[in-house]
Amino acid sequence: MGQTGLSIQKRHPIGYYFLSQTKSLGVTIMKALQSVIEAYQIRRQFPYFQPHPEMRSLIYLDNAATTQKPYAVIEAVSHFWAYHNANVHRGAYGVGAKASEMYESARARVAQFLNASNPNEIVFTRGTTESINLVAYSWGMSQIREGDEIIVSEMEHHANLIPWLQVAQAKGARLVVWRITDDGRLNLDDLRNLLSERTRLVAITHISNVLGTVNPVQAICEMAHFAGALCLVDAAQSIAHMPVDVQAIGCDFLAFSGHKTYGPTGIGVLYARYELLQSIPPFLTGGGMIRSVDWDGAQWADPPAKFEAGTPPIGEAIGLHAALDFIDTIGREAIEAYEHELTQYTLQRLQEVPGLRLYGPQPDRAGIFAFTLEDIHPHDIATVLDNFDIAIRSGHHCAHPLGDRLGVPSTARASIGIYNDTEHIDALIEALHKVRKVFGYA
Ligand SMILES: *Cc1c(COP(=O)(O)O)cnc(C)c1O
C-alpha cells in the first residue's frame, strides 16, 4: 500500500453513506441510481474495492462466506499491533493495562451492540463454530441426560448441527429435526408438535446461509421457554444485516463471527445469560480462567474469564470493535432497508434467467440466493462467473442435510453485503445468460 490505513482513512471521512432515506422518491430509477451512489460511497471505505496492482476489480457476491474489511477495521487492528500490543489481564505495566482496557472496551461494545444487559455476558471465542461448541461441551455435556431431546432445524449450518449430534450421541439423547416446508420456511405449528417436557434446547439459525430464510427467533425462543427448554440462536448470517437484540429475542445463547461482520477472522462472540455462564463448567481450561489452584483442584474465575482460557484474540477483538462501529455509523435499520430493496431487485432479475431455479422463500427473505441453472454443475457456474470477475460460491454450503431435503447436493450461491448495488446484480444476470450460452443452452 505504501501508506498506512490511517492516512487513507482520513482521506475518506465517514458520515455520508446514506444520502437520505429513499422513501420519498417514488421513481424506481431514481431509487436505483441513488442506491448505486450510496453503495459506491461505502465501497470507498474498503481497500478491496480500490484500484491496486495486486487486485483485479471484482464484483464480490460471496458475503455469506465472509465479508471484506473496511479501512477502519484494518487500521484499528494494525494500530493495536503497532502501538499497544501486550498480553491482557497480566502485566502490571502501562501497555498491558492499555491492551486490557481496549480488549474489555471491545467486550462492552459487543454487549451494547447486542443490547445485552451486562458486558460479562459476552465471551470472546474464535467464531460461531467455537461459540456453539462451547455451549455444547459446557452446557450440553453437563446438563443433557439420557432420553432428553434437542431440537435443531433442517436448515442448520453444520456448526449448529454436529456439536448437538455429538452431545446427543455421548449422552444417549435424541436429536429431533424440525423439517422445513416446501418453500423453505419453518412452521411454528410443527415446532409446537415437536416440543415436549423432554426438550432441553432449541438450536436455531436466525437466517439460513442457503435459503435466506429469516426465522422468527423471538417466537421460537418464547415457545422453547414455554416448554421449559433453552434457546440458542446462530446469528452468523443476521448480525451484519439487521438489528439483533438479545433481550428482545429472549434467547439464552447467541453466537456470531467477526469475519462475516466486516471484522477480522479469528474472533467470535458467544452471548449467554449470566446465570447460565455461572452455572455451567468451563470448556477449555488453562491460564487466565481460574481464581485459585492447588494440587487438589481449581476454583474457576467469574464469567466471562472462566470461558477464556489462554491468550485471547486481542487484536481481533479490537478489530471487531471497529467493525461494529462501522456498521452502526451506517445504521442497522438503514442496512436492513437497503439490503431488503436490493434483495427484491435481485429476486425480480433472477426470474429473467431461463432454467434458473432459486431455493428458499419469496419475497420476504435475506440477500442470500442459492440456485441451480439448467443442468450446469454449480462449480462450473462459479468458474465461468469468476472469468467475468464475479465472485460467488458453489458447493454444499456446510448444510448436507438441507441439500438432501432440497434434492440438490450442491448449489451456486450469491450473497449481498452493504457495498453491493443494482449494477452488481445486473452484471450477475448478464453473466448467467452467458453461462447458459457457454454450456449450449439457447
Ligand atoms: C458461517 C456460518 C457458521 C460458521 O461460522 P464460522 O465463522 O465458520 O465459525 C455458522 N452458522 C451459519 C449460519 C453460518 O453462515
Side-chain angles (χ1 to χ4, degrees):
M1 256 190 226
Q3 48 191 324
T4 68
L6 184 61
S7 58
I8 296 167
Q9 171 67 13
K10 279 189 180 137
R11 286 196 281 112
H12 299 289
I14 54 177
Y16 52 87
Y17 309 102
F18 280 86
L19 305 177
S20 66
Q21 284 294 6
T22 53
K23 287 198 177 71
S24 57
L25 293 166
V27 191
T28 314
I29 194 148
M30 279 302 295
K31 264 191 182 173
L33 197 60
Q34 193 173 12
S35 74
V36 169
I37 293 165
E38 288 164 348
Y40 171 71
Q41 300 286 25
I42 288 174
R43 283 200 294 282
R44 290 178 55 185
Q45 306 294 314
F46 288 77
Y48 201 84
F49 302 119
Q50 307 313 312
H52 188 272
E54 279 178 43
M55 299 284 300
R56 61 184 177 135
S57 114
L58 193 69
I59 293 179
Y60 187 77
L61 289 169
D62 195 16
N63 293 285
T66 199
T67 52
Q68 299 307 329
K69 323 302 174 197
Y71 289 110
V73 166
I74 296 164
E75 166 57 23
V77 173
S78 62
H79 187 82
F80 172 77
W81 296 133
Y83 306 114
H84 298 292
N85 180 46
N87 210 331
V88 293
H89 306 150
R90 285 175 179 83
Y93 51 96
V95 184
K98 177 68 180 168
S100 297
E101 184 194 312
M102 291 170 84
Y103 181 66
E104 290 308 318
S105 156
R107 190 191 311 281
R109 184 70 181 85
V110 173
Q112 182 205 27
F113 193 80
L114 293 175
N115 193 31
S117 55
N118 179 343
N120 292 330
E121 297 184 315
I122 305 302
V123 178
F124 282 126
T125 65
R126 282 185 303 127
T128 309
T129 303
E130 187 178 303
S131 295
I132 297 174
N133 273 275
L134 193 164
V135 179
Y137 282 89
S138 299
W139 177 82
M141 291 296 190
S142 68
Q143 306 290 313
I144 296 289
R145 308 260 175 277
E146 193 174 339
D148 285 350
E149 294 183 351
I150 298 163
I151 299 179
V152 295
S153 88
E154 204 172 14
M155 64 172 78
E156 294 312 309
H157 187 285
H158 290 166
N160 199 25
L161 176 59
I162 296 170
W164 302 118
L165 265 175
Q166 293 286 93
V167 171
Q169 274 171 9
K171 296 290 165 180
R174 201 163 77 91
L175 203 64
V176 175
V177 183
W178 183 7
R179 304 281 174 194
I180 60 169
T181 61
D182 287 341
D183 66 346
R185 291 177 215 269
L186 290 166
N187 185 328
L188 291 177
D189 287 333
D190 294 342
L191 176 61
R192 199 165 287 122
N193 293 331
L194 297 175
L195 285 164
S196 76
E197 71 282 354
R198 290 182 299 279
T199 312
R200 301 296 308 281
L201 177 76
V202 178
I204 183 75
T205 193
H206 197 175
I207 293 180
S208 162
N209 68 311
V210 178
L211 302 169
T213 316
V214 186
N215 290 316
V217 285
Q218 188 173 347
I220 292 167
C221 289
E222 212 171 282
M223 288 169 68
H225 290 158
F226 191 72
L230 298 183
C231 187
L232 177 146
V233 174
D234 174 351
Q237 291 297 344
S238 59
I239 191 76
H241 304 279
M242 62 190 286
V244 173
D245 177 330
V246 290
Q247 294 191 63
I249 294 170
C251 51
D252 301 287
F253 304 104
L254 182 135
F256 74 87
S257 300
H259 72 98
K260 293 180 180 174
T261 317
Y262 307 109
T265 54
I267 182 78
V269 167
L270 171 68
Y271 156 83
R273 282 196 294 108
Y274 194 71
E275 312 82 75
L276 278 167
L277 290 178
Q278 277 179 311
S279 67
I280 62 179
F283 173 33
L284 303 174
T285 54
M289 52 75 67
I290 48 103
R291 179 175 296 133
S292 64
V293 61
D294 58 28
W295 296 116
D296 295 325
Q299 294 255 308
W300 311 136
D302 288 332
K306 177 177 160 186
F307 297 98
E308 293 183 359
T311 300
I314 308 164
E316 290 78 359
I318 285 153
L320 177 62
H321 186 160
L324 301 184
D325 286 348
F326 168 79
I327 288 173
D328 274 349
T329 304
I330 303 170
R332 283 186 279 169
E333 275 87 6
I335 290 174
E336 187 182 28
Y338 174 75
E339 292 187 3
H340 176 76
E341 271 197 38
L342 189 56
T343 296
Q344 296 312 307
Y345 181 82
T346 308
L347 289 173
Q348 200 182 323
R349 296 238 47 203
L350 284 172
Q351 287 176 5
E352 295 166 20
V353 184
L356 186 142
R357 172 140 189 235
L358 179 70
Y359 296 90
Q362 296 194 42
D364 48 324
R365 63 181 293 153
I368 299 169
F369 309 93
F371 60 89
T372 51
L373 180 57
E374 307 286 7
D375 289 330
I376 306 165
H377 196 286
H379 289 301
D380 293 334
I381 300 175
T383 304
V384 175
L385 288 186
D386 184 51
N387 289 331
F388 294 115
D389 295 329
I390 300 173
I392 66 159
R393 182 144 298 238
S394 65
H396 55 67
H397 316 301
C398 296
H400 280 166
L402 178 61
D404 292 345
R405 168 65 169 87
L406 300 174
V408 279
S410 164
T411 55
R413 182 186 70 185
S415 51
I416 61 171
I418 189 57
Y419 29 62
N420 294 119
D421 58 31
T422 52
E423 282 184 0
H424 294 169
I425 302 305
D426 294 345
L428 171 70
I429 301 300
E430 199 180 317
L432 287 173
H433 283 293
K434 287 180 183 153
V435 170
R436 289 186 80 255
K437 284 216 184 85
V438 168
F439 288 94
Y441 291 92

